[in-house]
Amino acid sequence: MKKKKTAGWYALFTLPLIFIFSLVVVIPFLIGIGYSFFSWDGLPLNPKIFVGFENYVNLFSDSRFMTSAGHTVLFTIFAIILINILGLAFALMVTSKLRVKNAARAMLFMPYLIGGLILGYIWKFIFTDAFQAIGEATGLTGIFFNWLLNPRFALVALVIVSTWQMAGYIMIIYITGIMGIPDDVIEAAQVDGAGFWQTLFRIKFPLIMPSFTICLFMTLSNCFKIFDVNLSLTGGGPSNATEMFAMNIYNEIFSLNNFGYGQAKAIVFFLVVAVITMIQVSITKKREVEMQ
């Protein structure tokens, strides 16, 4: 009887969530897979022409899509490194004996609370008007100019904004891992004569590997899926130099009205992100087991 009651409570709380998840995520995803085999402009009155795997085959000859893939990979690599390094550095700083550590936590986490679109427009003003004004005032026009008009600097600007937004959130996850380290382990290391760097690399890092797994997964998936900051900060420009995966799919569907082809891109995009994140999680999970 007790097991039946427990199962009933589980069903009561999980079935509504499963229903909503299926309605919002699973069913649209399956419908999208079906649309990817058709040539269609998205208008209900216009016919859907079945083309089979033609949309998927055309992806590999789509130079703009492959270029956006290259931009996404390059952006993701630099953003993941910077976000995790800064997030970990912030976490170590605010878990130390810093007097203003509580205020520092709040200030560092605050950028994450700003919406991506708003954040992009704020930094767009900084990289255009503010940088140009500083360059004219100081004469350092080689550094302070409109970064968003330069293909290379526009991508760097996108990395900076994404790092500024995500580092504080990743910091919270690292803080949780650091706070979970037993004090007696740190004290024992200090008694044995371990310095700051020895304690950091040989004690703290191995014990916060679960936090590394979570942070790498989140930054990897979020950087691959970036859209809102990309849209508001650069719009994919200049000359599509910062057009990422998600924006390319968006433009294909809503600007070029290639609904079926855009859906095929979205499916491939989903598979790429899923495979890469699963590989990352499996690798870091094995590292956790080794360190236990």
Side-chain angles (χ1 to χ4, degrees), residues 163-179:
T163 302
W164 188 77
Q165 181 187 27
M166 283 291 296
Y169 179 72
I170 296 301
M171 171 195 72
I172 300 298
I173 301 174
Y174 282 127
I175 288 174
T176 304
I178 293 172
M179 297 294 287

Side-chain angles (χ1 to χ4, degrees), residues 54-150:
E54 184 179 336
N55 287 331
Y56 292 95
V57 174
N58 292 337
L59 286 175
F60 299 99
S61 59
D62 189 337
S63 59
R64 183 170 174 177
F65 181 69
M66 300 306 292
T67 302
S68 70
H71 295 156
T72 305
V73 171
L74 188 63
F75 163 79
T76 301
I77 291 172
F78 286 104
I80 286 175
I81 294 172
L82 288 176
I83 290 170
N84 281 279
I85 289 176
L86 280 178
L88 182 58
F90 292 157
L92 292 170
M93 180 182 70
V94 299
T95 53
S96 64
K97 296 180 181 180
L98 188 68
R99 291 185 178 181
V100 294
K101 58 184 179 181
N102 291 330
R105 288 185 190 185
M107 294 297 293
L108 292 170
F109 182 73
M110 196 173 296
Y112 183 74
L113 302 177
I114 304 174
L117 287 173
I118 299 174
L119 190 70
Y121 287 123
I122 293 171
W123 278 91
K124 188 174 184 178
F125 168 77
I126 294 173
F127 285 123
T128 54
D129 298 341
F131 267 38
Q132 190 170 352
I134 293 172
E136 292 175 355
T138 60
L140 301 174
T141 54
I143 300 175
F144 296 102
F145 60 93
N146 190 344
W147 281 22
L148 304 184
L149 295 180
N150 186 296

Side-chain angles (χ1 to χ4, degrees), residues 120-121 123-124 127 148 154 157-158 161 228-235:
Y121 287 123
W123 278 91
K124 188 174 184 178
F127 285 123
L148 304 184
L158 199 57
V161 175
D228 48 2
V229 175
N230 191 194
L231 177 65
S232 58
L233 182 65
T234 64

Side-chain angles (χ1 to χ4, degrees), residues 32 41 70 91 99 123 144 167 175 241 260 262 265 269 279 284:
D41 60 3
R99 291 185 178 181
W123 278 91
F144 296 102
I175 288 174
K265 287 184 176 183
F269 174 54
I279 292 173
T284 51

Side-chain angles (χ1 to χ4, degrees), residues 232-253:
S232 58
L233 182 65
T234 64
S239 302
N240 301 321
T242 59
E243 185 182 66
M244 303 297 171
F245 257 137
M247 175 159 284
N248 181 271
I249 295 169
Y250 173 86
N251 290 332
E252 192 69 50
I253 294 175

